[in-house]
């Protein structure tokens, strides 16, 4: 079905049209996964909520801005993708899905997250990148099993001190925010393995050599005058990393290296997320 026709049909709320968008998905697939990404959906077809054994539901790249209360019936759901939609607020019904392990909320218009998010105590991966967050909601710090947090491309200036309570957290992505200093709370999280603060406004990096779990730190595209010191074996991606020396000091002053003389940084490809 062409995208143009899908977009036209999506405006018609009749059951027949919604079934047309589902392309005759009448029974739950054997793999317990439904992928309705890119279907131009403006509302979730209620028929999907009858698949009570569903484990994975992908609703990415649609025109959704709300979800029906019937979604609560999907109590076996472990993965829910709501990224690339039009949500201004997270529908509270999502917080009733207590078996969720992975929740994708990126590329919406979220300015906050509800306190009810704390009910998702099985959540291990949370994607909230490319939203309108000016601060990291403290409720995130109550997700005790969280291992991966992707909060890049927002407007974050600081991180809450309560973040250190997430002792299972291993990877935090903060690229493309408004951090003017390295978040102090991260210095008290020895279990972190990956820290990404690429594309911020950090001018000085403290030593990270005391973080025993650290494996990778990405700090490129900051107006920094030093590279973060790290323990042996930790990979740094940014200016003056292993492949390029830091600026030399002469008589106590910092000597700039001309851009054309600066060695190219290593590739900034990020490792696969869990």
């Amino acid at each position: 079905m062409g995208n143009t026709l899908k977009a036209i049909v999506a405006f018609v709320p009749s059951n027949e049209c919604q079934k047309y968008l589902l392309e005759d998905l009448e029974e739950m697939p054997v793999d317990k996964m439904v992928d309705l990404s890119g279907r131009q959906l403006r509302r979730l077809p209620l028929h999907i909520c009858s698949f009570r054994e569903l484990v994975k539901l992908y609703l990415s790249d649609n025109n959704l801005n709300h979800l029906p209360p019937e979604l609560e019936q999907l109590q076996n759901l472990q993965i829910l993708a709501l990224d690339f939609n039009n949500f201004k607020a997270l529908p509270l019904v999502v917080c009733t899905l207590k078996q969720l392990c992975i929740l994708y909320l990126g590329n919406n218009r979220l300015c906050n997250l509800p306190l009810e998010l704390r009910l998702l105590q099985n959540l291990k991966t949370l994607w909230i990148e490319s939203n309108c967050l000016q601060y990291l909601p403290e409720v995130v710090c109550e997700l005790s099993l969280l291992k991966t947090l992707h909060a890049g491309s927002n407007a974050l200036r600081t991180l809450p001190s309560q973040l250190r309570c997430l002792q299972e957290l291993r990877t935090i992505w903060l690229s493309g925010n408004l951090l003017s200093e390295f978040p102090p709370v991260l210095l008290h999280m020895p279990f972190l393995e990956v820290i990404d603060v690429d594309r911020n406004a950090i001018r000085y990096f403290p030593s990270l050599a005391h973080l025993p779990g650290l494996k990778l730190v990405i700090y490129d595209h900051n107006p920094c005058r030093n590279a973060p010191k790290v323990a042996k074996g930790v990979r740094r991606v940014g200016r003056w990393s292993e492949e390029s020396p830091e600026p030399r000091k002469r008589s106590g002053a910092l000597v700039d290296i001309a851009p054309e003389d600066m060695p190219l940084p290593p590739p900034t490809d990020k490792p696969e997320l869990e």
Side-chain angles (χ1 to χ4, degrees), residues 87-112:
F87 292 103
K88 293 183 179 180
L90 179 65
L92 293 183
V93 67
V94 173
C95 301
T96 68
L97 306 174
K98 296 183 180 179
Q99 296 305 314
L100 278 184
C101 297
I102 302 176
L103 179 57
Y104 297 95
L105 299 175
N107 290 273
N108 280 284
R109 292 185 282 171
L110 301 174
C111 294
N112 203 347

mmCIF file of all heavy atoms in Angstrom, residues 87-112:
data_model
loop_
_atom_site.group_PDB
_atom_site.id
_atom_site.type_symbol
_atom_site.label_atom_id
_atom_site.label_comp_id
_atom_site.label_asym_id
_atom_site.label_seq_id
_atom_site.Cartn_x
_atom_site.Cartn_y
_atom_site.Cartn_z
ATOM 1 N N PHE A 87 3.757 12.477 20.520
ATOM 2 C CA PHE A 87 3.381 12.506 21.932
ATOM 3 C C PHE A 87 3.963 13.737 22.628
ATOM 4 O O PHE A 87 5.169 13.953 22.609
ATOM 5 C CB PHE A 87 3.870 11.245 22.641
ATOM 6 C CG PHE A 87 3.172 9.988 22.207
ATOM 7 C CD1 PHE A 87 3.797 9.094 21.346
ATOM 8 C CD2 PHE A 87 1.891 9.704 22.646
ATOM 9 C CE1 PHE A 87 3.157 7.938 20.942
ATOM 10 C CE2 PHE A 87 1.236 8.546 22.244
ATOM 11 C CZ PHE A 87 1.870 7.663 21.383
ATOM 12 N N LYS A 88 3.080 14.519 23.252
ATOM 13 C CA LYS A 88 3.517 15.622 24.099
ATOM 14 C C LYS A 88 3.634 15.180 25.551
ATOM 15 O O LYS A 88 4.297 15.843 26.357
ATOM 16 C CB LYS A 88 2.537 16.793 23.993
ATOM 17 C CG LYS A 88 2.525 17.464 22.625
ATOM 18 C CD LYS A 88 1.581 18.651 22.631
ATOM 19 C CE LYS A 88 1.570 19.352 21.271
ATOM 20 N NZ LYS A 88 0.632 20.524 21.262
ATOM 21 N N ALA A 89 2.964 14.091 25.873
ATOM 22 C CA ALA A 89 3.031 13.502 27.209
ATOM 23 C C ALA A 89 2.964 11.987 27.052
ATOM 24 O O ALA A 89 2.318 11.481 26.130
ATOM 25 C CB ALA A 89 1.894 14.009 28.094
ATOM 26 N N LEU A 90 3.626 11.280 27.927
ATOM 27 C CA LEU A 90 3.577 9.828 27.881
ATOM 28 C C LEU A 90 2.220 9.360 28.391
ATOM 29 O O LEU A 90 1.836 9.674 29.518
ATOM 30 C CB LEU A 90 4.688 9.229 28.753
ATOM 31 C CG LEU A 90 4.730 7.699 28.812
ATOM 32 C CD1 LEU A 90 5.052 7.121 27.441
ATOM 33 C CD2 LEU A 90 5.725 7.230 29.847
ATOM 34 N N PRO A 91 1.462 8.618 27.580
ATOM 35 C CA PRO A 91 0.169 8.109 28.042
ATOM 36 C C PRO A 91 0.349 7.253 29.295
ATOM 37 O O PRO A 91 1.202 6.358 29.331
ATOM 38 C CB PRO A 91 -0.315 7.264 26.852
ATOM 39 C CG PRO A 91 0.387 7.847 25.663
ATOM 40 C CD PRO A 91 1.730 8.264 26.179
ATOM 41 N N LEU A 92 -0.455 7.517 30.315
ATOM 42 C CA LEU A 92 -0.299 6.821 31.592
ATOM 43 C C LEU A 92 -0.531 5.322 31.461
ATOM 44 O O LEU A 92 -0.021 4.542 32.277
ATOM 45 C CB LEU A 92 -1.246 7.419 32.630
ATOM 46 C CG LEU A 92 -0.932 8.856 33.057
ATOM 47 C CD1 LEU A 92 -1.900 9.310 34.136
ATOM 48 C CD2 LEU A 92 0.508 8.970 33.550
ATOM 49 N N VAL A 93 -1.278 4.914 30.443
ATOM 50 C CA VAL A 93 -1.528 3.486 30.279
ATOM 51 C C VAL A 93 -0.226 2.724 30.055
ATOM 52 O O VAL A 93 -0.118 1.540 30.418
ATOM 53 C CB VAL A 93 -2.530 3.236 29.130
ATOM 54 C CG1 VAL A 93 -1.924 3.625 27.782
ATOM 55 C CG2 VAL A 93 -2.983 1.787 29.111
ATOM 56 N N VAL A 94 0.773 3.373 29.498
ATOM 57 C CA VAL A 94 2.075 2.718 29.289
ATOM 58 C C VAL A 94 2.672 2.289 30.625
ATOM 59 O O VAL A 94 3.317 1.235 30.727
ATOM 60 C CB VAL A 94 3.039 3.656 28.545
ATOM 61 C CG1 VAL A 94 4.449 3.066 28.481
ATOM 62 C CG2 VAL A 94 2.528 3.928 27.137
ATOM 63 N N CYS A 95 2.437 3.072 31.657
ATOM 64 C CA CYS A 95 3.013 2.792 32.974
ATOM 65 C C CYS A 95 2.332 1.627 33.679
ATOM 66 O O CYS A 95 2.768 1.222 34.770
ATOM 67 C CB CYS A 95 2.950 4.042 33.842
ATOM 68 S SG CYS A 95 3.825 5.463 33.135
ATOM 69 N N THR A 96 1.281 1.089 33.083
ATOM 70 C CA THR A 96 0.626 -0.092 33.651
ATOM 71 C C THR A 96 1.224 -1.385 33.106
ATOM 72 O O THR A 96 0.882 -2.466 33.586
ATOM 73 C CB THR A 96 -0.884 -0.073 33.345
ATOM 74 O OG1 THR A 96 -1.095 -0.263 31.940
ATOM 75 C CG2 THR A 96 -1.515 1.240 33.776
ATOM 76 N N LEU A 97 2.096 -1.273 32.116
ATOM 77 C CA LEU A 97 2.684 -2.455 31.463
ATOM 78 C C LEU A 97 3.944 -2.855 32.224
ATOM 79 O O LEU A 97 5.067 -2.582 31.808
ATOM 80 C CB LEU A 97 2.989 -2.142 29.999
ATOM 81 C CG LEU A 97 1.786 -1.613 29.197
ATOM 82 C CD1 LEU A 97 2.211 -1.204 27.802
ATOM 83 C CD2 LEU A 97 0.684 -2.665 29.142
ATOM 84 N N LYS A 98 3.776 -3.529 33.328
ATOM 85 C CA LYS A 98 4.844 -3.704 34.300
ATOM 86 C C LYS A 98 5.921 -4.692 33.882
ATOM 87 O O LYS A 98 6.943 -4.810 34.546
ATOM 88 C CB LYS A 98 4.244 -4.099 35.648
ATOM 89 C CG LYS A 98 3.353 -2.998 36.218
ATOM 90 C CD LYS A 98 2.806 -3.353 37.583
ATOM 91 C CE LYS A 98 1.921 -2.241 38.120
ATOM 92 N NZ LYS A 98 1.361 -2.571 39.456
ATOM 93 N N GLN A 99 5.707 -5.412 32.778
ATOM 94 C CA GLN A 99 6.748 -6.326 32.301
ATOM 95 C C GLN A 99 7.669 -5.667 31.276
ATOM 96 O O GLN A 99 8.598 -6.320 30.781
ATOM 97 C CB GLN A 99 6.104 -7.576 31.682
ATOM 98 C CG GLN A 99 5.298 -8.420 32.654
ATOM 99 C CD GLN A 99 6.108 -8.844 33.862
ATOM 100 O OE1 GLN A 99 7.239 -9.300 33.740
ATOM 101 N NE2 GLN A 99 5.532 -8.684 35.035
ATOM 102 N N LEU A 100 7.437 -4.406 30.966
ATOM 103 C CA LEU A 100 8.264 -3.724 29.971
ATOM 104 C C LEU A 100 9.733 -3.742 30.385
ATOM 105 O O LEU A 100 10.083 -3.387 31.512
ATOM 106 C CB LEU A 100 7.810 -2.283 29.786
ATOM 107 C CG LEU A 100 6.624 -2.014 28.856
ATOM 108 C CD1 LEU A 100 6.379 -0.517 28.735
ATOM 109 C CD2 LEU A 100 6.845 -2.628 27.480
ATOM 110 N N CYS A 101 10.580 -4.130 29.445
ATOM 111 C CA CYS A 101 12.030 -4.096 29.632
ATOM 112 C C CYS A 101 12.677 -2.994 28.798
ATOM 113 O O CYS A 101 13.690 -2.422 29.194
ATOM 114 C CB CYS A 101 12.653 -5.442 29.255
ATOM 115 S SG CYS A 101 12.131 -6.819 30.268
ATOM 116 N N ILE A 102 12.099 -2.722 27.627
ATOM 117 C CA ILE A 102 12.652 -1.730 26.704
ATOM 118 C C ILE A 102 11.529 -0.795 26.265
ATOM 119 O O ILE A 102 10.473 -1.250 25.801
ATOM 120 C CB ILE A 102 13.284 -2.401 25.477
ATOM 121 C CG1 ILE A 102 14.394 -3.366 25.903
ATOM 122 C CG2 ILE A 102 13.839 -1.362 24.508
ATOM 123 C CD1 ILE A 102 15.015 -4.144 24.753
ATOM 124 N N LEU A 103 11.762 0.511 26.406
ATOM 125 C CA LEU A 103 10.766 1.508 26.036
ATOM 126 C C LEU A 103 11.437 2.579 25.179
ATOM 127 O O LEU A 103 12.371 3.246 25.618
ATOM 128 C CB LEU A 103 10.159 2.138 27.287
ATOM 129 C CG LEU A 103 9.099 3.224 27.089
ATOM 130 C CD1 LEU A 103 7.923 2.714 26.263
ATOM 131 C CD2 LEU A 103 8.628 3.759 28.437
ATOM 132 N N TYR A 104 10.946 2.718 23.949
ATOM 133 C CA TYR A 104 11.469 3.714 23.012
ATOM 134 C C TYR A 104 10.507 4.898 22.943
ATOM 135 O O TYR A 104 9.367 4.756 22.507
ATOM 136 C CB TYR A 104 11.613 3.111 21.616
ATOM 137 C CG TYR A 104 12.593 1.980 21.499
ATOM 138 C CD1 TYR A 104 12.176 0.654 21.581
ATOM 139 C CD2 TYR A 104 13.953 2.225 21.298
ATOM 140 C CE1 TYR A 104 13.075 -0.396 21.464
ATOM 141 C CE2 TYR A 104 14.862 1.176 21.189
ATOM 142 C CZ TYR A 104 14.414 -0.126 21.271
ATOM 143 O OH TYR A 104 15.305 -1.158 21.153
ATOM 144 N N LEU A 105 10.987 6.075 23.359
ATOM 145 C CA LEU A 105 10.166 7.289 23.351
ATOM 146 C C LEU A 105 10.835 8.423 22.578
ATOM 147 O O LEU A 105 10.387 9.567 22.644
ATOM 148 C CB LEU A 105 9.904 7.762 24.791
ATOM 149 C CG LEU A 105 9.158 6.778 25.702
ATOM 150 C CD1 LEU A 105 9.095 7.335 27.120
ATOM 151 C CD2 LEU A 105 7.757 6.514 25.171
ATOM 152 N N GLY A 106 11.879 8.118 21.843
ATOM 153 C CA GLY A 106 12.636 9.158 21.156
ATOM 154 C C GLY A 106 11.863 9.832 20.049
ATOM 155 O O GLY A 106 10.878 9.313 19.518
ATOM 156 N N ASN A 107 12.300 11.047 19.714
ATOM 157 C CA ASN A 107 11.736 11.811 18.603
ATOM 158 C C ASN A 107 10.234 12.018 18.757
ATOM 159 O O ASN A 107 9.440 11.742 17.869
ATOM 160 C CB ASN A 107 12.056 11.121 17.274
ATOM 161 C CG ASN A 107 13.524 11.215 16.927
ATOM 162 O OD1 ASN A 107 13.984 12.173 16.311
ATOM 163 N ND2 ASN A 107 14.287 10.206 17.348
ATOM 164 N N ASN A 108 9.862 12.506 19.935
ATOM 165 C CA ASN A 108 8.512 12.988 20.191
ATOM 166 C C ASN A 108 8.607 14.431 20.660
ATOM 167 O O ASN A 108 9.580 15.118 20.339
ATOM 168 C CB ASN A 108 7.810 12.088 21.216
ATOM 169 C CG ASN A 108 7.260 10.816 20.584
ATOM 170 O OD1 ASN A 108 6.240 10.830 19.911
ATOM 171 N ND2 ASN A 108 7.965 9.697 20.790
ATOM 172 N N ARG A 109 7.658 14.881 21.452
ATOM 173 C CA ARG A 109 7.676 16.253 21.958
ATOM 174 C C ARG A 109 7.505 16.275 23.471
ATOM 175 O O ARG A 109 6.845 17.143 24.030
ATOM 176 C CB ARG A 109 6.582 17.073 21.264
ATOM 177 C CG ARG A 109 6.854 17.312 19.777
ATOM 178 C CD ARG A 109 5.834 18.219 19.154
ATOM 179 N NE ARG A 109 4.587 17.518 18.879
ATOM 180 C CZ ARG A 109 3.471 18.114 18.487
ATOM 181 N NH1 ARG A 109 3.443 19.429 18.331
ATOM 182 N NH2 ARG A 109 2.377 17.408 18.257
ATOM 183 N N LEU A 110 8.111 15.329 24.133
ATOM 184 C CA LEU A 110 7.976 15.193 25.579
ATOM 185 C C LEU A 110 8.787 16.268 26.309
ATOM 186 O O LEU A 110 9.967 16.474 26.024
ATOM 187 C CB LEU A 110 8.448 13.816 26.023
ATOM 188 C CG LEU A 110 7.728 12.611 25.408
ATOM 189 C CD1 LEU A 110 8.415 11.321 25.828
ATOM 190 C CD2 LEU A 110 6.260 12.596 25.807
ATOM 191 N N CYS A 111 8.148 16.920 27.265
ATOM 192 C CA CYS A 111 8.828 17.902 28.118
ATOM 193 C C CYS A 111 9.054 17.360 29.521
ATOM 194 O O CYS A 111 9.799 17.957 30.306
ATOM 195 C CB CYS A 111 8.018 19.198 28.199
ATOM 196 S SG CYS A 111 7.893 20.076 26.637
ATOM 197 N N ASN A 112 8.405 16.253 29.838
ATOM 198 C CA ASN A 112 8.532 15.648 31.155
ATOM 199 C C ASN A 112 8.091 14.193 31.056
ATOM 200 O O ASN A 112 7.616 13.751 30.008
ATOM 201 C CB ASN A 112 7.685 16.404 32.179
ATOM 202 C CG ASN A 112 8.191 16.206 33.602
ATOM 203 O OD1 ASN A 112 9.010 15.325 33.867
ATOM 204 N ND2 ASN A 112 7.708 17.018 34.514
#
